[in-house]
């Protein structure tokens, strides 16, 4: 009998006994329920305290702090949050905008705009600013994800609340979530995923239309939070279900028979609720067909090493094999994987444990990409991703992220182990030592935060209004994934002007293949290279003509050069391109190009 079946039988027996007890026994039962509720409250409080600890540096300066590990992602997300609030107050279309990448605009549904949090938290954004919203969302994401998995494991896998707490703790604060907390809230705010799985399990056990309705609503809500985590969870659960039912096909037939019709109802509900936004995402203005990231699989060492932002990573750092600081999607550490293997062997008679072990292996292998890489050296060994990447939707997903599917499976093994160790007193001490050796190195460190530089006075004080009619602002260089500061300046100016360029995902070329940032214009590329090199090029008449054409394309009103790296070289380059001297206005150099760009 599996742990789920055991827990269900225990719940049934308890309910029957309670119905026939004497008043004193009923009073005792009520006291036990109070204690259970108190344990839930302690778990929620503990997860919240840990989330605040991880985000503590950001909370010390919640309106101006900047997570150094985010690159330019924090600016992009704050822009999304601020734009959602702006769209609500101005009754604008929330799915698309011309305020970035002018005049082509941005398809916000085709980007990770997270309407599921940006819209409900719009009052917070309007009152306190998008950085406070950003900090709140990340903190809430860590704590709520941990608690949701704690609830799920306690309801469907284990009887001990302590065991469920261990599993929830790992799900909410696994290395991947701490890494993504630097800049990807869509991979941190994941509390709906265990609720979705709970509904699917209930449907497989014969629940009716009400559960199907709830499932449809939850799926629609998750689409508003992030589609990629939903896809990874669906793949993970499919692997788990196949492994679980492999040894019990009769149960599989019953589960499929029970769930088929309700799942179709849930899918229909979710589709009705999201049809409009999804159409806009895939067929609306500035939609794209796919995005090719190139090889993005995990290095094998990424599975075995400790994460950078952890106790173990601080004491014993390994080779840097991550894609970047926000994509440490594995980094379980060899002690944890050894513990998971030991747990799987100890619990091998449990179908849940066997299925969890298979899921960990499959999702980790998928995350390694098309070719096995060890220490950044290719081995020539072809892996399953070489076939999976050809499938629709999979072609746009970073394969490294499929390692996140192993997180709840590992958590399930940990929870089942604690649950059994609590019942078998003789095993408590050795398992406690093993857990300490495996989990202490993974204790996260607070994320590093710096005080960001304020916006130029030209934007913060509203001086820009004298230079903008109905055209765009062209900053030098233009905002792009490498430098998106102008997005913050636009937010400071309350979206009073559109920006040429930007940081987003949009289509390029007739194939509508996606890239990060706008389709490159020659003048934008030139200015970006000058900022990088500090060398003033020899400006030709052709380059001047191209600059004029690009300004017309952007419908530019003003060209603005703020303080920054290689400012003198940039000023001389723009001066040569435009054939005119700039004006010093507040703390920026300005070229008024309204007559020339018309």
């Amino acid at each position: 009998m599996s742990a789920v079946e055991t827990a269900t039988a225990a719940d049934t027996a308890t309910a029957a006994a309670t119905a026939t007890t004497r008043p004193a026994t009923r009073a005792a039962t009520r006291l036990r329920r109070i204690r259970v509720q108190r344990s839930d409250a302690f778990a929620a409080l503990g997860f919240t305290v840990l989330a605040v600890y991880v985000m503590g540096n950001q909370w010390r300066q919640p309106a101006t702090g900047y997570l150094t590990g985010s690159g330019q992602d924090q600016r992009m997300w704050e822009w999304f949050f601020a734009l959602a609030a702006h769209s609500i107050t101005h009754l604008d279309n929330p799915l698309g905008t011309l305020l970035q990448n002018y005049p082509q605009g941005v398809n916000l549904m085709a980007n990770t705009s997270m309407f599921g949090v940006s819209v409900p938290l719009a009052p917070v954004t309007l009152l306190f600013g998008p950085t406070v919203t950003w900090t709140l969302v990340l903190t809430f994401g860590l704590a709520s994800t941990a608690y949701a998995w704690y609830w799920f494991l306690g309801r469907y896998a284990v009887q001990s609340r302590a065991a469920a707490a261990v599993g929830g703790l790992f799900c909410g604060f696994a290395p991947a979530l701490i890494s993504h907390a630097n800049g990807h809230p869509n991979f941190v705010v994941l509390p709906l995923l265990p609720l979705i799985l709970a509904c699917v399990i209930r449907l497989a056990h014969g629940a009716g239309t009400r559960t199907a309705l709830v499932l449809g609503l939850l799926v629609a809500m998750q689409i508003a939070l992030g589609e990629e985590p939903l896809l990874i969870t669906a793949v993970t659960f499919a692997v788990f279900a196949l492994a679980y039912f492999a040894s019990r096909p009769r149960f599989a037939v019953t589960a499929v028979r029970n769930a088929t019709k309700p799942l179709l109802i849930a899918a229909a509900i979710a589709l009705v609720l999201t049809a409009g936004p999804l159409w806009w995402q895939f067929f609306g203005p500035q939609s794209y067909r796919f995005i090719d990231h190139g090889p993005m699989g995990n290095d094998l060492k990424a599975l075995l090493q400790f994460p950078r932002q952890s106790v173990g990573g601080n004491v014993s750092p390994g080779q840097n094999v991550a894609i970047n600081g926000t994509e440490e999607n594995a980094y379980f550490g060899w002690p944890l994987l050894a513990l998971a293997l030991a747990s799987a062997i100890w619990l091998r008679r449990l179908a849940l444990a066997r299925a969890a072990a298979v899921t960990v292996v499959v999702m980790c292998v998928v995350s390694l990409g098309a070719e096995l890489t060890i220490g950044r050296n290719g081995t020539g060994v072809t892996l399953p991703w070489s076939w999976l990447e050809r499938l629709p939707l999979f072609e746009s997903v970073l394969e490294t992220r499929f390692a996140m599917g192993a997180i709840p499976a590992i958590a399930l093994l940990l929870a089942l182990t604690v649950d059994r160790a609590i019942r078998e007193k003789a095993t408590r001490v050795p398992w406690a030592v093993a857990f300490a050796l495996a989990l202490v190195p993974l204790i996260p460190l607070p994320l590093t935060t710096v005080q960001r530089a304020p916006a130029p006075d030209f934007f913060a004080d509203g001086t820009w209004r004298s230079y903008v009619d109905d055209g765009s602002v062209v900053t030098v260089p233009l905002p792009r994934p490498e430098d998106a500061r102008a997005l913050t300046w636009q937010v400071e100016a309350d979206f009073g002007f559109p920006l040429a360029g930007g940081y987003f995902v949009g289509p390029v070329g007739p194939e509508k293949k996606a890239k990060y940032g706008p389709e490159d214009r020659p003048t934008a590329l030139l200015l970006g290279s000058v900022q990088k090199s500090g060398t003033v090029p020899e400006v030709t008449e052709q380059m001047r003509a191209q600059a004029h054409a690009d300004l017309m394309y952007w419908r530019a009103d003003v060209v603005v050069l703020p303080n920054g790296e290689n400012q003198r070289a940039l000023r001389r380059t723009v001066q040569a391109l435009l054939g005119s001297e700039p004006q010093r206005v507040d703390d920026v150099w300005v070229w008024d190009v309204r007559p020339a760009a018309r």
Side-chain angles (χ1 to χ4, degrees):
M1 180 178 289
S2 71
V4 172
E5 294 163 341
T6 301
T8 303
D11 290 343
T12 303
T14 300
T18 302
T20 58
T21 51
R22 295 189 302 273
T25 306
R26 286 198 296 269
T29 302
R30 283 194 292 270
L31 288 176
R32 285 197 298 271
R33 289 176 179 172
I34 293 174
R35 285 197 294 270
V36 167
Q37 294 171 356
R38 187 177 299 169
S39 68
D40 293 344
F42 284 148
L45 178 61
F47 296 146
T48 302
V49 169
L50 184 54
V52 172
Y53 158 78
V54 171
M55 299 299 302
N57 292 327
Q58 186 70 17
W59 276 113
R60 291 186 180 93
Q61 40 190 352
T64 58
Y66 197 89
L67 292 172
T68 56
S70 72
Q72 298 297 304
D73 287 345
Q74 181 172 340
R75 298 186 191 279
M76 180 188 69
W77 282 99
E78 290 179 357
W79 190 88
F80 286 149
F81 294 155
L83 182 65
H86 177 84
S87 299
I88 291 172
T89 55
H90 290 74
L91 300 180
D92 293 336
N93 177 15
L95 303 180
T97 183
L98 296 177
L99 287 168
Q100 197 179 156
N101 191 36
Y102 192 78
Q104 297 300 314
V106 176
N107 187 322
L108 295 171
M109 266 303 295
N111 284 262
T112 50
S113 300
M114 286 191 78
F115 296 113
V117 293
S118 63
V119 172
L121 292 179
V124 175
T125 305
L126 293 171
L127 288 173
F128 304 106
T131 307
V132 172
T133 302
W134 159 264
T135 308
L136 182 62
V137 166
L138 290 172
T139 307
F140 168 78
L142 292 171
S144 63
T145 300
Y147 187 84
W149 281 107
Y150 158 79
W151 172 86
F152 177 86
L153 293 170
R155 176 64 178 85
Y156 294 98
V158 296
Q159 299 180 48
S160 165
R161 295 286 169 159
V166 170
L169 186 67
F170 183 72
C171 284
F173 298 91
L177 275 82
I178 300 302
S179 175
H180 282 291
N182 283 286
H184 300 156
N186 56 319
F187 276 97
V188 176
V189 184
L190 306 175
L192 297 187
L193 298 180
L195 303 184
I196 290 172
L197 296 182
C199 287
V200 174
I201 292 172
R202 284 177 55 81
L203 292 178
H205 282 83
T209 305
R210 180 179 299 179
T211 301
L213 172 62
V214 173
L215 177 60
L217 292 173
L218 289 174
V219 170
M221 292 169 63
Q222 180 58 46
I223 288 174
L225 290 174
E227 299 166 24
E228 197 171 342
L230 182 62
L231 173 63
I232 294 172
T233 300
V235 173
T236 303
F237 188 71
V239 172
F240 180 88
L242 288 173
Y244 181 80
F245 288 119
S247 60
R248 42 181 62 202
R250 288 186 301 172
F251 288 97
V253 171
T254 302
V256 171
R257 185 185 300 118
N258 289 338
T260 298
K261 182 178 179 180
L263 284 176
L264 292 175
I265 294 174
I269 293 170
L271 184 60
V272 168
L273 294 174
T274 60
L278 289 177
W279 181 91
W280 188 279
Q281 174 179 345
F282 292 105
F283 304 105
Q286 291 298 102
S287 59
Y288 52 85
R289 294 177 182 173
F290 68 97
I291 181 169
D292 184 7
H293 296 95
M296 290 290 176
N298 282 323
D299 193 291
L300 183 62
K301 283 189 173 182
L303 299 175
L304 304 174
Q305 295 180 166
F306 298 126
R308 176 172 51 91
Q309 293 170 313
S310 70
V311 171
N314 190 49
V315 174
S316 178
Q319 181 182 357
N320 182 14
V321 293
I323 296 171
N324 56 55
T326 59
E327 294 290 350
E328 292 186 352
N329 296 297
Y331 283 83
F332 300 117
W334 67 265
L336 176 63
L337 295 182
L339 175 64
L341 176 61
S343 297
I345 294 173
W346 194 45
L347 303 169
R348 61 188 179 277
R349 296 183 181 277
L350 288 179
L352 284 178
R354 294 195 300 271
V358 170
T359 303
V360 172
V361 173
V362 171
M363 300 309 294
C364 286
V365 170
V366 169
S367 79
L368 295 176
E371 179 187 359
L372 178 63
T373 302
I374 304 176
R376 294 192 178 274
N377 296 314
T379 64
V381 177
T382 302
L383 296 174
W385 182 255
S386 59
W387 298 284
L388 289 173
E389 64 181 347
R390 303 170 189 172
L391 299 176
L393 299 181
F394 285 80
E395 61 189 3
S396 297
V397 179
L398 294 178
E399 55 266 38
T400 172
R401 293 175 176 172
F402 279 93
M404 296 184 70
I407 293 173
I410 292 174
L412 177 57
L413 285 172
L414 298 180
L416 290 172
T417 300
V418 173
D419 199 46
R420 180 172 170 181
I422 288 175
R423 296 194 302 271
E424 299 180 11
K425 295 181 180 181
T427 65
R428 289 181 184 178
V429 172
W431 278 114
V433 172
F435 269 69
L437 293 175
L439 297 180
V440 167
L442 299 181
I443 294 175
L445 301 177
L447 303 184
T448 305
T449 305
V450 296
Q451 182 82 17
R452 83 178 75 190
D457 294 340
F458 179 82
F459 295 109
D461 296 345
T463 308
W464 60 268
R465 292 188 178 90
S466 300
Y467 295 88
V468 178
D469 293 335
D470 57 355
S472 70
V473 170
V474 177
T475 60
V476 181
L478 279 75
R480 61 203 190 284
E482 297 81 8
D483 182 1
R485 291 176 299 160
L487 273 62
T488 301
W489 304 339
Q490 187 188 40
V491 172
E492 290 273 352
D494 195 26
F495 295 101
F497 53 82
L499 281 170
Y503 182 18
F504 58 95
V505 181
V508 294
E511 294 182 352
K512 300 188 73 175
K513 179 180 176 180
K515 72 180 289 285
Y516 291 95
E519 190 164 6
D520 296 318
R521 304 288 298 184
T523 304
L525 292 174
L526 174 64
L527 296 176
S529 67
V530 171
Q531 185 193 42
K532 184 176 181 179
S533 67
T535 302
V536 180
E538 183 180 346
V539 176
T540 64
E541 287 300 324
Q542 182 179 0
M543 294 166 68
R544 292 189 183 95
Q546 184 63 60
H548 178 72
D550 289 340
L551 288 174
M552 292 186 66
Y553 173 83
W554 292 319
R555 303 176 192 175
D557 279 347
V558 63
V559 177
V560 179
L561 172 61
N563 296 326
E565 184 180 5
N566 292 322
Q567 183 192 55
R568 178 172 296 183
L570 286 167
R571 179 162 62 89
R572 291 173 57 192
T573 302
V574 177
Q575 182 176 325
L577 288 172
L578 302 184
S580 62
E581 294 277 351
Q583 291 180 304
R584 187 66 177 177
V585 180
D586 291 339
D587 50 355
V588 300
W589 293 100
V590 171
W591 288 265
D592 189 339
V593 296
R594 281 174 287 190
R598 293 295 185 269

